[in-house]
Amino acid sequence: MVTRLYSHPLFLEHLTPPGHPERPDRLRAIEKVLSDDRFDRLDRHQPEPAGREHLVLAHPESHVDKVMNAIPDEGIVRVDADTSVSPMSGEAALLGVGAAVAAVDDVFEKRADNVFVAARPPGHHAEKVTAMGFCLFNNAAIAARHAQKRHGADRVAIIDWDVHHGNGTQDIFWDDPSVLYCSTHQMPLYPGTGAKDETGAGNIVNAPLSAGSGSDTFRDAFRDRVMRSIVDFHPDLIIISAGFDAHHRDPLAEINLDEADFDWATAELMELANRLCNDRLVSLLEGGYDLRGLSSSVGAHVGRLMRG
Ligand SMILES: [Zn+2]
């Protein structure tokens, strides 16, 4: 397998208030684990910033302007109770979207079998017109729309195993049956959406898990609801909203997964990508707030992407 990695030093320059869980050290921890010899074969690249034409694939111009106009010349400004921007946040967000878009190009043009994007801020809570939950623009949604527009993909599946429900992605594709959105997440938990009966145009598959759930419950839900839906949908591309905050060490939730579960889920999605869509798999970092849990989980995930 050729696995490409997108990262950029500017992702460290998106600053959040002291004590905020979504902090630059998250990416430093990921960089550290991926600097190990076993990741020598990773095809490492820095992304170019996305253009406005990419942002408007999932957001109206007014949202793009609202976020970019909120960027301060100095200091940190809140745009939501728990979402903030600092002087370099706009550049970081554009690079993150640029990486997601480039990753889609890479797998359709066969420069890589699969791609992992280690970017921040994350994206899956960003709704069409609302920045929230640490997210400004919805990287996964923009990547899916880009695959459709640029590469003629008829159907794109977005699989979200972040421990929080991706309300933003669900919002953007609520009435769009050309994109399947499947999520496993703790419920009740922020942001409050993600009930089983939220099904959109039949293209939304929510698999809520109760606090205290572990590996067996997660794998059953993933197999029975998520994987089965992917097979029925027959996508041209699989995008993972890869949050690692369902790890048992994570401070923001109470789901008890570990590295082996992320390794397993990665392998299962790779098998489906191989069977259904010529291996095309793009994985975008979302949450994960315990540095040890995050880095070991990303190590397991990226190691699996490389090995097949
Ligand atoms: Zn999360």
Side-chain angles (χ1 to χ4, degrees):
M1 286 299 202
V2 175
T3 298
R4 187 170 279 210
L5 169 71
Y6 282 102
S7 60
H8 198 288
L10 261 178
F11 293 143
L12 302 174
E13 304 289 327
H14 166 58
L15 305 178
T16 50
H20 196 286
E22 204 294 283
R23 59 208 190 276
D25 278 351
R26 298 177 61 233
L27 286 191
R28 293 192 183 98
I30 288 174
E31 265 171 38
K32 191 163 174 233
V33 73
L34 296 182
S35 66
D36 188 90
D37 290 351
R38 71 191 163 110
F39 297 105
D40 278 353
R41 277 195 307 109
L42 267 181
D43 180 28
R44 294 164 199 263
H45 288 262
Q46 289 191 352
E48 297 292 326
R52 182 173 269 264
E53 73 274 18
H54 298 120
L55 303 178
V56 299
L57 292 172
H59 303 284
E61 300 265 2
S62 58
H63 175 74
V64 177
D65 290 338
K66 198 164 116 191
V67 170
M68 298 315 271
N69 291 338
I71 309 287
D73 292 331
E74 56 184 45
I76 295 172
V77 171
R78 284 183 196 281
V79 295
D80 164 71
D82 52 15
T83 312
S84 47
V85 287
S86 65
M88 298 307 285
S89 295
E91 265 106 317
L94 292 182
L95 283 167
V97 174
V101 163
V104 168
D105 293 339
D106 292 336
V107 297
F108 274 96
E109 293 163 9
K110 271 297 162 205
R111 284 184 293 273
D113 294 299
N114 55 50
V115 183
F116 180 65
V117 175
R120 54 183 291 280
H124 74 151
H125 294 305
E127 299 184 344
K128 275 182 206 144
V129 299
T130 310
M132 60 182 280
F134 320 162
C135 303
L136 302 175
F137 301 120
N138 197 311
N139 306 312
I142 293 167
R145 290 266 197 247
H146 177 73
Q148 294 182 316
K149 192 175 172 202
R150 170 80 185 272
H151 300 285
D154 290 324
R155 290 174 307 283
V156 180
I158 300 175
I159 310 309
D160 186 337
W161 67 48
D162 188 282
V163 82
H164 303 96
H165 181 244
N167 60 294
T169 315
Q170 173 169 297
D171 170 62
I172 290 165
F173 297 113
W174 182 254
D175 53 6
D176 181 351
S178 73
V179 175
L180 174 72
Y181 175 69
C182 300
S183 175
T184 54
H185 48 272
Q186 181 174 324
M187 195 169 190
L189 189 68
Y190 182 89
T193 50
K196 256 187 184 167
D197 62 3
E198 296 167 22
T199 55
N203 61 318
I204 308 285
V205 178
N206 286 313
L209 308 169
S210 45
S213 295
S215 177
D216 290 349
T217 313
F218 167 75
R219 292 189 190 204
D220 285 349
F222 202 78
R223 220 183 265 117
D224 295 345
R225 294 184 53 77
V226 175
M227 289 167 54
R228 194 169 289 177
S229 301
I230 299 171
V231 171
D232 291 345
F233 185 67
H234 213 292
D236 301 304
L237 167 69
I238 296 175
I239 296 173
I240 308 175
S241 262
F244 298 95
D245 39 11
H247 192 280
H248 65 88
R249 290 183 55 93
D250 199 276
L252 297 197
E254 295 84 33
I255 300 293
N256 297 309
L257 303 190
D258 64 19
E259 297 74 16
D261 296 302
F262 295 115
D263 180 28
W264 172 83
T266 306
E268 294 293 337
L269 291 185
M270 289 178 76
E271 198 276 318
L272 290 180
N274 178 262
R275 179 143 54 103
L276 303 172
C277 53
N278 204 12
D279 291 317
R280 288 188 288 264
L281 186 69
V282 165
S283 174
L284 309 176
L285 180 67
E286 300 282 1
Y289 304 101
D290 175 80
L291 299 183
R292 244 168 74 191
L294 173 65
S295 56
S296 60
S297 299
V298 168
H301 175 57
V302 175
R304 175 60 62 188
L305 289 176
M306 293 169 68
R307 276 197 312 280

